[in-house]
Amino acid sequence: MADDTQRARAQDRPGYELPLLLFAGFRSLIDQLHAELARQGHPDVRPAYGFAMQAIGRDGATASELGRRLGVSKQAAGKTADRLEALGYAVRADDPADARRKVIRLTPRGMDSLARSAAIFEELRAQWAAALGPERLRDLEDDLSVMVPRGALRLDAAGWFGA
């Protein structure tokens, strides 16, 4: 009987609601993350900068690599790197393997922002577990893992949205 009720409820919703609800959940988490990051001393970090810092990672990246990882042009990636540099989150340094190339690297401030983001995401996940129940949240994550194609966890959201 419960399965019939769940099926009926699912059929009552129009198809376009699913992506909107998924996006709203994503947006809610990201908005809460950035509000807390601001309180913790990183008021200038924007979602696009977070994606860029993730794409730069611990090993750094050239502007071309950053652009590919984000799904944007080398020029757009360079502008993002310029802004991260101006805010103190990244620096450009000579590539030890090729003096003609510059590598974008995260500064201690950039690494701090990423570490705080990870901790905040843990807190936000705990809030979802408290609201939904830990088992339902695990089921939701498992179900999304089934539906998301392998390798689909990418950082190119800005490029995908056409920004």
Side-chain angles (χ1 to χ4, degrees):
M1 184 70 149
D3 285 342
D4 291 338
T5 303
Q6 287 176 329
R7 264 188 240 113
R9 282 184 56 207
Q11 290 174 348
D12 288 342
R13 292 182 183 240
Y16 67 83
E17 273 192 22
L18 177 60
L20 293 175
L21 288 168
L22 289 169
F23 181 71
F26 169 79
R27 177 72 190 261
S28 174
L29 287 168
I30 297 300
D31 288 348
Q32 290 174 66
L33 166 77
H34 285 277
E36 184 57 29
L37 273 176
R39 282 190 283 280
Q40 292 187 23
H42 295 282
D44 297 319
V45 174
R46 301 288 176 261
Y49 303 159
F51 284 113
M53 286 190 280
Q54 286 289 333
I56 292 166
R58 294 188 182 278
D59 296 328
T62 65
S64 293
E65 290 166 338
L66 182 58
R68 276 193 302 280
R69 293 173 189 172
L70 294 176
V72 299
S73 70
K74 176 182 174 182
Q75 292 77 13
K79 286 182 182 181
T80 300
D82 290 343
R83 187 69 183 135
L84 289 173
E85 199 168 11
L87 294 170
Y89 291 98
V91 295
R92 284 190 175 88
D94 290 332
D95 184 342
D98 183 347
R100 297 169 295 172
R101 292 181 356 150
K102 294 285 186 187
V103 177
I104 305 158
R105 297 198 186 283
L106 297 178
T107 63
R109 182 166 173 74
M111 296 301 286
D112 180 67
S113 173
L114 288 182
R116 288 176 187 271
S117 294
I120 294 165
F121 276 131
E122 290 298 324
E123 292 171 17
L124 293 171
R125 187 186 183 283
Q127 290 173 16
W128 279 46
L132 299 174
E135 189 172 312
R136 282 186 69 202
L137 180 58
R138 274 192 306 276
D139 288 345
L140 173 63
E141 291 168 332
D142 290 345
D143 291 344
L144 288 171
S145 293
V146 168
M147 298 308 297
V148 173
R150 199 175 251 324
L153 296 175
R154 300 177 354 207
L155 299 172
D156 64 350
W160 185 75
F161 278 119

